[in-house]
Amino acid sequence: MSIGVAIGQFVTCTAQPLTTVQVRDGTPRWQQIEKLLKEWLPNLVVVGLPLNMDGSDQPLTVRACKFAKRLHGRFGVKVVLHDERLSTVAARAILFERSGYRALENRQVNASSAAIILESWLEQVRQ
């Protein structure tokens, strides 16, 4: 399992996939996250909130909320949660269109999903 990471900017409301952070036994590689935060110095971090299609919580919803709280607690960074429904489907479609099946590696899909979630949040904030 891995967590997709993307970077974005408010001015253009665009985001780009950056990398993934590996998760082992439910624990993310906090050192890798710390390194990314120090390198990119984000104003805030958007964490995808996994929800069922009807908007109800699913098992991963609690884990995402816990991850967001830990990010804030460990690093003092502002964290917001944003609906991630269908982001993986959209990322897979985009990657497949660009490069075929070979592009559908989990790391690429997760990072691309992160960019889609971030752009969705940026567009919402802009309105």
Side-chain angles (χ1 to χ4, degrees), residues 12-84:
T12 60
C13 287
T14 58
Q16 296 177 8
L18 184 61
T19 190
T20 58
V21 173
Q22 294 303 312
V23 177
R24 305 243 173 172
D25 299 322
T27 303
R29 293 186 57 207
W30 290 111
Q31 292 173 331
Q32 186 180 2
I33 293 170
E34 181 176 23
K35 182 180 176 185
L36 288 165
L37 291 171
K38 285 181 178 179
E39 180 179 351
W40 292 98
L41 301 171
N43 293 330
L44 78 138
V45 175
V46 177
V47 173
L49 184 63
L51 299 169
N52 291 316
M53 288 307 294
D54 66 1
S56 63
D57 289 355
Q58 59 170 283
L60 285 177
T61 306
V62 173
R63 291 173 71 185
C65 292
K66 185 177 178 181
F67 174 69
K69 287 179 185 176
R70 286 187 173 169
L71 263 177
H72 174 71
R74 279 180 178 250
F75 305 110
V77 66
K78 182 178 177 183
V79 179
V80 296
L81 292 160
H82 186 70
D83 186 349
E84 70 171 31

Side-chain angles (χ1 to χ4, degrees), residues 71-105:
L71 263 177
H72 174 71
R74 279 180 178 250
F75 305 110
V77 66
K78 182 178 177 183
V79 179
V80 296
L81 292 160
H82 186 70
D83 186 349
E84 70 171 31
R85 281 179 282 186
L86 299 177
S87 62
T88 300
V89 172
R92 286 180 174 279
I94 291 167
L95 289 169
F96 179 78
E97 185 178 308
R98 287 184 190 157
S99 305
Y101 282 109
R102 291 182 184 185
L104 297 180
E105 181 182 312

Side-chain angles (χ1 to χ4, degrees), residues 7-15 43-44 118-119 121-123 125-127:
I7 55 169
Q9 62 166 308
F10 287 104
V11 176
T12 60
C13 287
T14 58
N43 293 330
L44 78 138
L118 181 52
E119 282 185 353
W121 182 83
L122 288 165
E123 290 172 12
V125 170
R126 179 182 245 183
Q127 295 176 356

Side-chain angles (χ1 to χ4, degrees), residues 1-2 4 20 92 95 103-112:
M1 183 175 174
S2 65
T20 58
R92 286 180 174 279
L95 289 169
L104 297 180
E105 181 182 312
N106 274 343
R107 290 182 316 187
Q108 289 182 341
V109 171
N110 290 343
S112 293

